[in-house]
Amino acid sequence: MAFFRPGVSREAEVRHHADHEVGEGFPALLDKARAAEAALRRAQAAGAGADELRAAGLAYDRALTDALRAAEAAKRAALGVKAYDDRIRRRKGVATPRGAMWTAEVDRLRTLREEHRLTGIARVPRPMPAAG
């Protein structure tokens, strides 16, 4: 007696391939985020103005967001092609060492980005409209 085992959908294969491609760029994006953080820390140490600190903070936020998106894509790719269609496969994939490693990395980057958004971006007062 044979059991029916559904194959993987074409959409899942395409998404898996796309996530794999994006995930390969993770190390470069993480290095870019580290460089942006170093630039922000240098600006803070030099006592830069609020506008410069805001620009450096926003650049760091963009770099962290790009690295986070790449890590999420690498996590989805690491879970396997069947995880795109099946939540049980997704849970099993997270339980593997590679899946757990990517889950921890995504959580770490997400926490770092949210902490930076709450405390690391300098606030600049809005310009007052001219009274006419």
Side-chain angles (χ1 to χ4, degrees):
M1 177 179 214
F3 291 101
F4 175 73
R5 291 187 181 183
V8 178
S9 69
R10 178 72 181 137
E11 179 186 351
E13 289 177 358
V14 169
R15 289 173 56 199
H16 176 59
H17 181 67
D19 283 341
H20 184 69
E21 293 294 320
V22 172
E24 285 181 350
F26 174 72
L29 291 171
L30 189 60
D31 289 341
K32 184 178 175 184
R34 286 181 179 145
E37 181 184 19
L40 174 63
R41 301 297 176 227
R42 280 193 303 273
Q44 288 172 339
D51 290 333
E52 294 174 29
L53 286 176
R54 181 166 178 78
L58 290 174
Y60 180 45
D61 182 61
R62 280 189 299 274
L64 271 177
T65 300
D66 292 342
L68 176 62
R69 287 182 180 151
E72 289 171 341
K75 174 188 171 186
R76 287 189 302 268
L79 298 182
V81 71
K82 292 182 180 180
Y84 288 90
D85 293 335
D86 187 8
R87 69 179 178 82
I88 294 173
R89 290 287 184 169
R90 222 176 355 261
R91 288 187 58 176
K92 285 183 177 183
V94 171
T96 64
R98 193 164 171 230
M101 185 265 308
W102 278 113
T103 300
E105 184 67 19
V106 166
D107 290 344
R108 184 185 72 82
L109 286 173
R110 189 173 288 132
T111 301
L112 188 61
R113 184 184 69 170
E114 292 304 318
E115 179 184 346
H116 174 68
R117 284 184 174 177
L118 290 173
T119 61
I121 299 175
R123 302 205 184 267
V124 178
R126 294 183 181 171
M128 295 295 291

